[in-house]
Amino acid sequence: MKQSSRNRQRAGRDPRRLVRSFWSSSSYGPALLMILATYVLAASSTGRIGTSILLIVQMATVWLALRISMTRRELRVAVTVLFILAGIAAVTNLVARGDGWFLAFAFTAAAALYFVAPASIVRHIGYRRTVDRETLLGALAAYLFIGMAFAFAYRLLGVVQMAPFFGANGDGTLAQDLFFSFITLTTTGYGNLVPAGNPGQSFAVLEALVGQLFLVTAVAKVVSAWVPRSWRE
């Protein structure tokens, strides 16, 4: 009995199980890797080609997250249709002039879907009775989704509104929007980038509140569901 207990403990500590989580089709690991890839791509992409590729990767990331979180079939079908439309728009953007309409479409779709994905993930992991790798990976993926959703919303505002989003600093770049979003989400607030007016300022306040509520809820979930391994043996 003791030997069996030690074997289970070794298996639980086996780092290979964590590595396998990032390749399993039913784990949040691949979705988390896709989110990180999207972040890198968004922070470094420029020009039409980069924006078109970013849009496709964004849609694929959301579709994967919704599939893993077992969201309703109707929503996944809607995302699939939007994914197809995004592909058509991306190809059109490469051959046609007029980036304004494409940027507005791209960041409207991305912001909307990046808000939908964490809601689906939180609903899915909220039903788990224990805190395990999938709970932690899912919570981290949802948190990153929220930060990137607000970043895409800021970029959209910079595209459609008349006044520069960051005032004297201009509309900024997508990399700056991502930086500002996660600094706001974590309530770090360096103050080097500040929205010049509304609705950007209101979005920033909302993001700070959402970030704090998410962390409080996540910590409460961990504390209420976590049971030391020695107690379960």
PDB file of all heavy atoms in Angstrom, residues 60-85:
ATOM      1  N   ALA A  60      -8.035  30.897 -35.139  1.00  0.00           N
ATOM      2  CA  ALA A  60      -7.702  29.499 -34.847  1.00  0.00           C
ATOM      3  C   ALA A  60      -7.516  29.284 -33.346  1.00  0.00           C
ATOM      4  O   ALA A  60      -7.935  28.252 -32.795  1.00  0.00           O
ATOM      5  CB  ALA A  60      -6.434  29.100 -35.597  1.00  0.00           C
ATOM      6  N   THR A  61      -6.923  30.263 -32.669  1.00  0.00           N
ATOM      7  CA  THR A  61      -6.713  30.158 -31.223  1.00  0.00           C
ATOM      8  C   THR A  61      -8.038  30.120 -30.479  1.00  0.00           C
ATOM      9  O   THR A  61      -8.243  29.296 -29.575  1.00  0.00           O
ATOM     10  CB  THR A  61      -5.874  31.350 -30.724  1.00  0.00           C
ATOM     11  OG1 THR A  61      -4.631  31.389 -31.422  1.00  0.00           O
ATOM     12  CG2 THR A  61      -5.602  31.231 -29.233  1.00  0.00           C
ATOM     13  N   VAL A  62      -8.957  30.994 -30.858  1.00  0.00           N
ATOM     14  CA  VAL A  62     -10.271  31.017 -30.210  1.00  0.00           C
ATOM     15  C   VAL A  62     -11.028  29.725 -30.497  1.00  0.00           C
ATOM     16  O   VAL A  62     -11.653  29.138 -29.590  1.00  0.00           O
ATOM     17  CB  VAL A  62     -11.086  32.237 -30.684  1.00  0.00           C
ATOM     18  CG1 VAL A  62     -12.517  32.161 -30.170  1.00  0.00           C
ATOM     19  CG2 VAL A  62     -10.428  33.528 -30.210  1.00  0.00           C
ATOM     20  N   TRP A  63     -11.004  29.267 -31.745  1.00  0.00           N
ATOM     21  CA  TRP A  63     -11.705  28.033 -32.097  1.00  0.00           C
ATOM     22  C   TRP A  63     -11.190  26.867 -31.271  1.00  0.00           C
ATOM     23  O   TRP A  63     -11.967  26.050 -30.767  1.00  0.00           O
ATOM     24  CB  TRP A  63     -11.522  27.739 -33.578  1.00  0.00           C
ATOM     25  CG  TRP A  63     -12.307  26.555 -34.064  1.00  0.00           C
ATOM     26  CD1 TRP A  63     -13.585  26.547 -34.551  1.00  0.00           C
ATOM     27  CD2 TRP A  63     -11.859  25.188 -34.080  1.00  0.00           C
ATOM     28  NE1 TRP A  63     -13.960  25.267 -34.869  1.00  0.00           N
ATOM     29  CE2 TRP A  63     -12.930  24.409 -34.596  1.00  0.00           C
ATOM     30  CE3 TRP A  63     -10.676  24.561 -33.722  1.00  0.00           C
ATOM     31  CZ2 TRP A  63     -12.828  23.033 -34.742  1.00  0.00           C
ATOM     32  CZ3 TRP A  63     -10.585  23.181 -33.865  1.00  0.00           C
ATOM     33  CH2 TRP A  63     -11.649  22.430 -34.378  1.00  0.00           C
ATOM     34  N   LEU A  64      -9.859  26.782 -31.091  1.00  0.00           N
ATOM     35  CA  LEU A  64      -9.273  25.695 -30.302  1.00  0.00           C
ATOM     36  C   LEU A  64      -9.712  25.792 -28.847  1.00  0.00           C
ATOM     37  O   LEU A  64     -10.064  24.774 -28.225  1.00  0.00           O
ATOM     38  CB  LEU A  64      -7.750  25.756 -30.402  1.00  0.00           C
ATOM     39  CG  LEU A  64      -6.968  24.708 -29.594  1.00  0.00           C
ATOM     40  CD1 LEU A  64      -7.322  23.304 -30.065  1.00  0.00           C
ATOM     41  CD2 LEU A  64      -5.462  24.963 -29.706  1.00  0.00           C
ATOM     42  N   ALA A  65      -9.692  26.996 -28.286  1.00  0.00           N
ATOM     43  CA  ALA A  65     -10.087  27.174 -26.887  1.00  0.00           C
ATOM     44  C   ALA A  65     -11.547  26.797 -26.669  1.00  0.00           C
ATOM     45  O   ALA A  65     -11.893  26.169 -25.662  1.00  0.00           O
ATOM     46  CB  ALA A  65      -9.836  28.615 -26.458  1.00  0.00           C
ATOM     47  N   LEU A  66     -12.412  27.163 -27.609  1.00  0.00           N
ATOM     48  CA  LEU A  66     -13.824  26.833 -27.480  1.00  0.00           C
ATOM     49  C   LEU A  66     -14.057  25.323 -27.594  1.00  0.00           C
ATOM     50  O   LEU A  66     -14.943  24.771 -26.932  1.00  0.00           O
ATOM     51  CB  LEU A  66     -14.637  27.572 -28.537  1.00  0.00           C
ATOM     52  CG  LEU A  66     -14.696  29.098 -28.400  1.00  0.00           C
ATOM     53  CD1 LEU A  66     -15.526  29.697 -29.524  1.00  0.00           C
ATOM     54  CD2 LEU A  66     -15.247  29.507 -27.048  1.00  0.00           C
ATOM     55  N   ARG A  67     -13.275  24.667 -28.442  1.00  0.00           N
ATOM     56  CA  ARG A  67     -13.421  23.209 -28.574  1.00  0.00           C
ATOM     57  C   ARG A  67     -12.978  22.510 -27.294  1.00  0.00           C
ATOM     58  O   ARG A  67     -13.650  21.595 -26.812  1.00  0.00           O
ATOM     59  CB  ARG A  67     -12.602  22.698 -29.756  1.00  0.00           C
ATOM     60  CG  ARG A  67     -12.844  21.228 -30.082  1.00  0.00           C
ATOM     61  CD  ARG A  67     -11.879  20.724 -31.123  1.00  0.00           C
ATOM     62  NE  ARG A  67     -10.516  20.717 -30.627  1.00  0.00           N
ATOM     63  CZ  ARG A  67     -10.017  19.762 -29.826  1.00  0.00           C
ATOM     64  NH1 ARG A  67     -10.784  18.757 -29.423  1.00  0.00           N
ATOM     65  NH2 ARG A  67      -8.778  19.825 -29.418  1.00  0.00           N
ATOM     66  N   ILE A  68     -11.851  22.946 -26.728  1.00  0.00           N
ATOM     67  CA  ILE A  68     -11.346  22.316 -25.508  1.00  0.00           C
ATOM     68  C   ILE A  68     -12.300  22.543 -24.340  1.00  0.00           C
ATOM     69  O   ILE A  68     -12.516  21.648 -23.514  1.00  0.00           O
ATOM     70  CB  ILE A  68      -9.942  22.861 -25.174  1.00  0.00           C
ATOM     71  CG1 ILE A  68      -8.945  22.460 -26.273  1.00  0.00           C
ATOM     72  CG2 ILE A  68      -9.461  22.327 -23.820  1.00  0.00           C
ATOM     73  CD1 ILE A  68      -7.593  23.120 -26.133  1.00  0.00           C
ATOM     74  N   SER A  69     -12.865  23.751 -24.274  1.00  0.00           N
ATOM     75  CA  SER A  69     -13.776  24.063 -23.165  1.00  0.00           C
ATOM     76  C   SER A  69     -15.180  23.524 -23.395  1.00  0.00           C
ATOM     77  O   SER A  69     -16.081  23.781 -22.594  1.00  0.00           O
ATOM     78  CB  SER A  69     -13.837  25.583 -22.950  1.00  0.00           C
ATOM     79  OG  SER A  69     -14.308  26.248 -24.111  1.00  0.00           O
ATOM     80  N   MET A  70     -15.364  22.790 -24.490  1.00  0.00           N
ATOM     81  CA  MET A  70     -16.625  22.112 -24.790  1.00  0.00           C
ATOM     82  C   MET A  70     -17.816  23.075 -24.768  1.00  0.00           C
ATOM     83  O   MET A  70     -18.835  22.830 -24.136  1.00  0.00           O
ATOM     84  CB  MET A  70     -16.861  20.944 -23.818  1.00  0.00           C
ATOM     85  CG  MET A  70     -15.846  19.838 -23.966  1.00  0.00           C
ATOM     86  SD  MET A  70     -16.194  18.380 -22.947  1.00  0.00           S
ATOM     87  CE  MET A  70     -15.893  19.049 -21.302  1.00  0.00           C
ATOM     88  N   THR A  71     -17.623  24.207 -25.442  1.00  0.00           N
ATOM     89  CA  THR A  71     -18.703  25.168 -25.526  1.00  0.00           C
ATOM     90  C   THR A  71     -19.800  24.650 -26.447  1.00  0.00           C
ATOM     91  O   THR A  71     -19.633  23.634 -27.129  1.00  0.00           O
ATOM     92  CB  THR A  71     -18.173  26.521 -26.047  1.00  0.00           C
ATOM     93  OG1 THR A  71     -19.181  27.532 -25.865  1.00  0.00           O
ATOM     94  CG2 THR A  71     -17.812  26.434 -27.512  1.00  0.00           C
ATOM     95  N   ARG A  72     -20.898  25.351 -26.487  1.00  0.00           N
ATOM     96  CA  ARG A  72     -22.033  24.884 -27.274  1.00  0.00           C
ATOM     97  C   ARG A  72     -21.689  24.796 -28.761  1.00  0.00           C
ATOM     98  O   ARG A  72     -20.923  25.601 -29.273  1.00  0.00           O
ATOM     99  CB  ARG A  72     -23.226  25.817 -27.081  1.00  0.00           C
ATOM    100  CG  ARG A  72     -23.844  25.749 -25.688  1.00  0.00           C
ATOM    101  CD  ARG A  72     -25.000  26.712 -25.569  1.00  0.00           C
ATOM    102  NE  ARG A  72     -24.573  28.093 -25.812  1.00  0.00           N
ATOM    103  CZ  ARG A  72     -25.408  29.129 -25.826  1.00  0.00           C
ATOM    104  NH1 ARG A  72     -26.699  28.940 -25.640  1.00  0.00           N
ATOM    105  NH2 ARG A  72     -24.937  30.343 -26.032  1.00  0.00           N
ATOM    106  N   ARG A  73     -22.282  23.809 -29.419  1.00  0.00           N
ATOM    107  CA  ARG A  73     -21.991  23.559 -30.831  1.00  0.00           C
ATOM    108  C   ARG A  73     -22.340  24.770 -31.684  1.00  0.00           C
ATOM    109  O   ARG A  73     -21.630  25.094 -32.630  1.00  0.00           O
ATOM    110  CB  ARG A  73     -22.761  22.326 -31.305  1.00  0.00           C
ATOM    111  CG  ARG A  73     -22.489  21.955 -32.767  1.00  0.00           C
ATOM    112  CD  ARG A  73     -23.208  20.678 -33.141  1.00  0.00           C
ATOM    113  NE  ARG A  73     -22.993  20.340 -34.541  1.00  0.00           N
ATOM    114  CZ  ARG A  73     -23.726  20.825 -35.542  1.00  0.00           C
ATOM    115  NH1 ARG A  73     -24.726  21.663 -35.294  1.00  0.00           N
ATOM    116  NH2 ARG A  73     -23.457  20.472 -36.793  1.00  0.00           N
ATOM    117  N   GLU A  74     -23.426  25.450 -31.348  1.00  0.00           N
ATOM    118  CA  GLU A  74     -23.850  26.604 -32.149  1.00  0.00           C
ATOM    119  C   GLU A  74     -22.791  27.693 -32.160  1.00  0.00           C
ATOM    120  O   GLU A  74     -22.524  28.315 -33.197  1.00  0.00           O
ATOM    121  CB  GLU A  74     -25.172  27.171 -31.607  1.00  0.00           C
ATOM    122  CG  GLU A  74     -26.363  26.244 -31.740  1.00  0.00           C
ATOM    123  CD  GLU A  74     -26.418  25.205 -30.639  1.00  0.00           C
ATOM    124  OE1 GLU A  74     -25.529  25.221 -29.754  1.00  0.00           O
ATOM    125  OE2 GLU A  74     -27.350  24.357 -30.653  1.00  0.00           O
ATOM    126  N   LEU A  75     -22.165  27.928 -31.008  1.00  0.00           N
ATOM    127  CA  LEU A  75     -21.134  28.953 -30.925  1.00  0.00           C
ATOM    128  C   LEU A  75     -19.902  28.556 -31.711  1.00  0.00           C
ATOM    129  O   LEU A  75     -19.289  29.384 -32.390  1.00  0.00           O
ATOM    130  CB  LEU A  75     -20.774  29.210 -29.459  1.00  0.00           C
ATOM    131  CG  LEU A  75     -19.739  30.315 -29.207  1.00  0.00           C
ATOM    132  CD1 LEU A  75     -20.201  31.632 -29.818  1.00  0.00           C
ATOM    133  CD2 LEU A  75     -19.494  30.472 -27.711  1.00  0.00           C
ATOM    134  N   ARG A  76     -19.552  27.266 -31.654  1.00  0.00           N
ATOM    135  CA  ARG A  76     -18.390  26.808 -32.421  1.00  0.00           C
ATOM    136  C   ARG A  76     -18.650  26.920 -33.922  1.00  0.00           C
ATOM    137  O   ARG A  76     -17.741  27.244 -34.687  1.00  0.00           O
ATOM    138  CB  ARG A  76     -18.044  25.371 -32.041  1.00  0.00           C
ATOM    139  CG  ARG A  76     -17.221  25.256 -30.762  1.00  0.00           C
ATOM    140  CD  ARG A  76     -16.809  23.830 -30.502  1.00  0.00           C
ATOM    141  NE  ARG A  76     -17.934  23.033 -30.037  1.00  0.00           N
ATOM    142  CZ  ARG A  76     -17.906  21.711 -29.883  1.00  0.00           C
ATOM    143  NH1 ARG A  76     -16.817  21.046 -30.201  1.00  0.00           N
ATOM    144  NH2 ARG A  76     -18.964  21.067 -29.429  1.00  0.00           N
ATOM    145  N   VAL A  77     -19.874  26.646 -34.337  1.00  0.00           N
ATOM    146  CA  VAL A  77     -20.219  26.801 -35.753  1.00  0.00           C
ATOM    147  C   VAL A  77     -20.097  28.262 -36.159  1.00  0.00           C
ATOM    148  O   VAL A  77     -19.574  28.590 -37.235  1.00  0.00           O
ATOM    149  CB  VAL A  77     -21.644  26.268 -36.025  1.00  0.00           C
ATOM    150  CG1 VAL A  77     -22.093  26.645 -37.435  1.00  0.00           C
ATOM    151  CG2 VAL A  77     -21.688  24.757 -35.843  1.00  0.00           C
ATOM    152  N   ALA A  78     -20.567  29.166 -35.296  1.00  0.00           N
ATOM    153  CA  ALA A  78     -20.478  30.594 -35.589  1.00  0.00           C
ATOM    154  C   ALA A  78     -19.019  31.036 -35.708  1.00  0.00           C
ATOM    155  O   ALA A  78     -18.663  31.813 -36.608  1.00  0.00           O
ATOM    156  CB  ALA A  78     -21.191  31.400 -34.505  1.00  0.00           C
ATOM    157  N   VAL A  79     -18.168  30.532 -34.820  1.00  0.00           N
ATOM    158  CA  VAL A  79     -16.745  30.872 -34.884  1.00  0.00           C
ATOM    159  C   VAL A  79     -16.110  30.299 -36.145  1.00  0.00           C
ATOM    160  O   VAL A  79     -15.250  30.926 -36.759  1.00  0.00           O
ATOM    161  CB  VAL A  79     -16.016  30.365 -33.626  1.00  0.00           C
ATOM    162  CG1 VAL A  79     -14.505  30.567 -33.750  1.00  0.00           C
ATOM    163  CG2 VAL A  79     -16.534  31.090 -32.388  1.00  0.00           C
ATOM    164  N   THR A  80     -16.540  29.098 -36.535  1.00  0.00           N
ATOM    165  CA  THR A  80     -16.024  28.505 -37.769  1.00  0.00           C
ATOM    166  C   THR A  80     -16.384  29.359 -38.984  1.00  0.00           C
ATOM    167  O   THR A  80     -15.551  29.592 -39.866  1.00  0.00           O
ATOM    168  CB  THR A  80     -16.588  27.085 -37.951  1.00  0.00           C
ATOM    169  OG1 THR A  80     -16.226  26.278 -36.828  1.00  0.00           O
ATOM    170  CG2 THR A  80     -16.041  26.446 -39.219  1.00  0.00           C
ATOM    171  N   VAL A  81     -17.627  29.840 -39.019  1.00  0.00           N
ATOM    172  CA  VAL A  81     -18.044  30.718 -40.112  1.00  0.00           C
ATOM    173  C   VAL A  81     -17.216  32.003 -40.107  1.00  0.00           C
ATOM    174  O   VAL A  81     -16.759  32.466 -41.162  1.00  0.00           O
ATOM    175  CB  VAL A  81     -19.549  31.045 -40.005  1.00  0.00           C
ATOM    176  CG1 VAL A  81     -19.949  32.110 -41.023  1.00  0.00           C
ATOM    177  CG2 VAL A  81     -20.379  29.780 -40.194  1.00  0.00           C
ATOM    178  N   LEU A  82     -17.009  32.563 -38.924  1.00  0.00           N
ATOM    179  CA  LEU A  82     -16.212  33.780 -38.818  1.00  0.00           C
ATOM    180  C   LEU A  82     -14.761  33.520 -39.217  1.00  0.00           C
ATOM    181  O   LEU A  82     -14.097  34.379 -39.798  1.00  0.00           O
ATOM    182  CB  LEU A  82     -16.285  34.321 -37.387  1.00  0.00           C
ATOM    183  CG  LEU A  82     -15.694  35.711 -37.154  1.00  0.00           C
ATOM    184  CD1 LEU A  82     -16.335  36.738 -38.086  1.00  0.00           C
ATOM    185  CD2 LEU A  82     -15.874  36.130 -35.702  1.00  0.00           C
ATOM    186  N   PHE A  83     -14.275  32.324 -38.896  1.00  0.00           N
ATOM    187  CA  PHE A  83     -12.922  31.941 -39.286  1.00  0.00           C
ATOM    188  C   PHE A  83     -12.791  31.930 -40.814  1.00  0.00           C
ATOM    189  O   PHE A  83     -11.797  32.398 -41.371  1.00  0.00           O
ATOM    190  CB  PHE A  83     -12.597  30.563 -38.713  1.00  0.00           C
ATOM    191  CG  PHE A  83     -11.202  30.088 -38.985  1.00  0.00           C
ATOM    192  CD1 PHE A  83     -10.146  30.501 -38.196  1.00  0.00           C
ATOM    193  CD2 PHE A  83     -10.942  29.230 -40.044  1.00  0.00           C
ATOM    194  CE1 PHE A  83      -8.856  30.062 -38.452  1.00  0.00           C
ATOM    195  CE2 PHE A  83      -9.663  28.789 -40.302  1.00  0.00           C
ATOM    196  CZ  PHE A  83      -8.610  29.199 -39.499  1.00  0.00           C
ATOM    197  N   ILE A  84     -13.803  31.394 -41.489  1.00  0.00           N
ATOM    198  CA  ILE A  84     -13.793  31.366 -42.950  1.00  0.00           C
ATOM    199  C   ILE A  84     -13.839  32.791 -43.510  1.00  0.00           C
ATOM    200  O   ILE A  84     -13.088  33.139 -44.443  1.00  0.00           O
ATOM    201  CB  ILE A  84     -14.971  30.532 -43.481  1.00  0.00           C
ATOM    202  CG1 ILE A  84     -14.806  29.067 -43.059  1.00  0.00           C
ATOM    203  CG2 ILE A  84     -15.066  30.633 -45.007  1.00  0.00           C
ATOM    204  CD1 ILE A  84     -16.018  28.201 -43.386  1.00  0.00           C
ATOM    205  N   LEU A  85     -14.697  33.621 -42.930  1.00  0.00           N
ATOM    206  CA  LEU A  85     -14.779  35.014 -43.366  1.00  0.00           C
ATOM    207  C   LEU A  85     -13.461  35.738 -43.121  1.00  0.00           C
ATOM    208  O   LEU A  85     -13.040  36.577 -43.924  1.00  0.00           O
ATOM    209  CB  LEU A  85     -15.912  35.725 -42.624  1.00  0.00           C
ATOM    210  CG  LEU A  85     -17.335  35.254 -42.947  1.00  0.00           C
ATOM    211  CD1 LEU A  85     -18.344  35.991 -42.072  1.00  0.00           C
ATOM    212  CD2 LEU A  85     -17.644  35.477 -44.416  1.00  0.00           C
TER     213      LEU A  85
END
